[in-house]
Amino acid sequence: MSEHESTHAHDGSYDGRRHGQGGSSTSSRKLAAVSVINLLGFLAELAGGMLFGSVALLSDAFHMLFDALAYVMAFAAAYVADHYGDGEEWSYGLHRLEPFAAFLNGVLLLPMVGFILWESYQRFLTPIEIGTGPTLAIAFGGLLVNVGSVYVLQGGEMSLNERGAFYHLLGDAGGSIAVIVSTVVIEVTGIRIVDPITAALIAVVVTLSALKVLGGSGAIFFHRTPFGTDEIRTHLLGVEGVEAVDDLHAWQICSQITVATTHVETDVDTMAEAEDVTRRIHEELAHHGVDHATVELCPAYDDRSTHLNHHTH
């Protein structure tokens, strides 16, 4: 029985890992393209903000810069995970780099918020003239950069880093729209204080993006269960031959690799029946997104406490 369990665990791990690597390869290409697009957009908005005096445009430029750096780190993590760490020294390769890069990306957004708020405060105290036409042209260009990046990323299931990039890009697009609207309002009304207020609103969007990325990466680092264990336990108990399901644990190596272990008691008598139960348990777990599963199958116990230790829950 144990030999059969090892075979199934190995097969499940191999298939899941291969799947993760294929997704990583696609992810790295997308993130590389988005990195280049956003670096070019940052240079354009930075030059425009400095030349034409818009702090809102400057804040959006630095938002785009930090996003571009985030995409570069995400690309590097995806590339390394895809090409290195396949030996026995690393049980699941280097896929753990994905949530680590996402966490750093979220942290890097926070000092940018401080910079934007400080610049907004300075412009609130001392408003300056803004070059309306050029600012609008560059803001529209920034919006096109963001839309183009979203187009590159969208489609299919996104990795954690791709989701982080997607949220950033939506925030960037909103920032570009805010710059456009505020510039038009300033041109029509002459109220220059709208510019720093818009920049402060962009800072709020950036903060929300950072918290979302930090939450997603933190959930992986602290091994939050990626699905409802009660629901999975109910499904496993519905497998013919399963008497009890204990010690069910699930966590993620990265956003594309989910691992689970469980102890299952069965009332079957023959090796063939045990193999069938194990196979169906693996299929049920795979159906719920588990890529690597380890199933401990044993006969039902009258006194279950003699078998299970105090960690079981």
Side-chain angles (χ1 to χ4, degrees):
M1 192 179 303
S2 60
E3 180 182 356
H4 173 78
E5 291 158 14
S6 299
T7 301
H8 273 276
H10 175 76
D11 289 345
S13 298
Y14 177 78
D15 290 340
R17 183 168 177 177
R18 181 176 55 193
H19 170 73
Q21 289 179 335
S24 178
S25 178
T26 302
S27 173
S28 63
R29 289 194 298 269
K30 289 182 178 180
L31 291 168
V34 170
S35 299
V36 173
I37 293 172
N38 280 265
L39 282 172
L40 294 176
F42 156 71
L43 293 174
E45 287 200 344
L46 176 65
M50 294 178 67
L51 287 173
F52 308 116
S54 172
V55 69
L57 193 58
L58 274 177
S59 66
D60 197 43
F62 278 97
H63 188 188
M64 194 172 290
L65 169 64
F66 273 82
D67 283 352
L69 295 177
Y71 306 149
V72 169
M73 283 198 301
F75 161 71
Y79 183 86
V80 171
D82 191 31
H83 292 84
Y84 301 98
D86 288 340
E88 305 238 346
E89 183 180 359
W90 308 95
S91 295
Y92 293 102
L94 294 173
H95 293 283
R96 199 72 169 168
L97 285 172
E98 185 216 48
F100 179 66
F103 177 80
L104 288 181
N105 292 342
V107 170
L108 284 175
L109 284 171
L110 298 179
M112 181 178 62
V113 172
F115 170 80
I116 293 174
L117 291 177
W118 173 254
E119 284 297 313
S120 300
Y121 176 68
Q122 296 301 313
R123 294 296 177 88
F124 180 81
L125 295 177
T126 311
I128 65 172
E129 284 291 337
I130 296 174
T132 304
T135 299
L136 279 175
I138 294 172
F140 270 112
L143 181 59
L144 291 176
V145 166
N146 296 321
V147 171
S149 299
V150 167
Y151 178 78
V152 171
L153 280 179
Q154 60 85 35
E157 183 179 353
M158 290 188 288
S159 68
L160 177 64
N161 277 322
E162 286 179 312
R163 287 201 302 271
F166 189 78
Y167 294 139
H168 285 305
L169 289 169
L170 291 181
D172 282 343
S176 296
I177 293 172
V179 171
I180 293 169
V181 172
S182 68
T183 304
V184 171
V185 170
I186 292 170
E187 177 67 16
V188 173
T189 66
I191 303 176
R192 288 176 288 177
I193 200 174
V194 172
D195 184 54
I197 291 175
T198 301
L201 291 176
I202 293 174
V204 173
V205 174
V206 174
T207 302
L208 294 176
S209 297
L211 293 177
K212 191 168 293 188
V213 174
L214 289 172
S217 58
I220 292 179
F221 270 120
F222 293 104
H223 289 174
R224 186 182 69 184
T225 305
F227 47 64
T229 53
D230 289 338
E231 178 187 357
I232 301 299
R233 185 177 283 106
T234 299
H235 283 285
L236 294 181
L237 287 171
V239 175
E240 185 178 354
V242 173
E243 289 293 301
V245 177
D246 293 291
D247 226 7
L248 174 60
H249 299 279
W251 64 98
Q252 290 182 295
I253 304 301
C254 65
S255 64
Q256 295 178 314
I257 301 178
T258 300
V259 180
T261 63
T262 186
H263 168 85
V264 175
E265 295 181 17
T266 181
D267 59 357
V268 299
D269 298 319
T270 67
M271 180 65 73
E273 290 175 320
E275 290 176 350
D276 186 58
V277 170
T278 305
R279 176 184 57 79
R280 283 185 281 131
I281 290 173
H282 276 276
E283 289 175 352
E284 189 65 46
L285 290 172
H287 178 70
H288 287 85
V290 175
D291 303 291
H292 301 256
T294 300
V295 178
E296 181 186 5
L297 194 66
C298 67
Y301 288 84
D302 292 330
D303 184 7
R304 300 168 71 244
S305 61
T306 62
H307 179 78
L308 303 177
N309 60 38
H310 65 281
H311 294 294
T312 302
H313 56 273

